[in-house]
Amino acid sequence: MGDVIDPAAIRIAPLTREHAEDLATWRYVPPYDVYDLVGADPDELLHPSLGFHAVLAGERLIGFRSFGPDGQVPGWDYDDAALDTGGGLRPSLTGQGLGRAVIGAGLAFGRVTYAPPAFRVTVASFNTRARRTVESLGFERVGSFAARRDGRPYDVLVRPERG
């Protein structure tokens, strides 16, 4: 599993049942365990309204991207001015500098597929790696809030799309 992933080989693809069952085993080290997918219901991950897509390098599942309500954290007043996007990397691949290529591929796919006026991401405030990555892709912080579930602080960042 320690092989190098070529960022140019990263692509977005439909999420399959096999992918969803794999995602439902993903567990991260604390404090990133807030992003754990362990126990997620594969049927829910496959539901079109959540907008889950596989991130592949060749044929290997390396992450996922979502478009829509899955990217929202209860506690913020979300509106339709932007499309929420979220995602994650396979736990064994985090911290290797792949985030920018994976998120960039997701944004390119989202732009073509959904043509939103803007993209919005919600990032746990402690997660400076993710925040730096999305800021490098043109996102700007528009506010912060405490999650309704556990009071954990989150930042909301938006990137307008130029038509």
Side-chain angles (χ1 to χ4, degrees), residues 86-125:
L89 272 175
R90 180 177 291 282
S92 62
L93 297 175
T94 59
Q96 295 181 24
L98 290 169
R100 195 167 196 282
V102 167
I103 296 168
L107 293 171
F109 174 86
R111 185 179 308 116
V112 169
T113 307
Y114 302 102
F119 285 105
R120 181 171 47 220
V121 294
T122 302
V123 178
S125 298

Side-chain angles (χ1 to χ4, degrees), residues 1-27:
M1 282 297 216
D3 51 334
V4 176
I5 291 170
D6 174 8
I10 293 173
R11 62 191 175 90
I12 309 295
L15 192 72
T16 66
R17 170 152 298 278
E18 186 181 357
H19 294 150
E21 289 172 356
D22 188 350
L23 290 177
T25 69
W26 289 12
R27 185 183 303 273

Side-chain angles (χ1 to χ4, degrees), residues 53-128:
H53 293 75
V55 178
L56 305 178
E59 295 306 309
R60 178 179 171 204
L61 180 68
I62 63 164
F64 69 93
R65 298 302 304 161
S66 70
F67 300 92
D70 178 69
Q72 300 178 354
V73 175
W76 181 259
D77 185 16
Y78 293 95
D79 60 25
D80 293 335
L83 175 64
D84 292 285
T85 183
L89 272 175
R90 180 177 291 282
S92 62
L93 297 175
T94 59
Q96 295 181 24
L98 290 169
R100 195 167 196 282
V102 167
I103 296 168
L107 293 171
F109 174 86
R111 185 179 308 116
V112 169
T113 307
Y114 302 102
F119 285 105
R120 181 171 47 220
V121 294
T122 302
V123 178
S125 298
F126 76 82
N127 193 347
T128 52

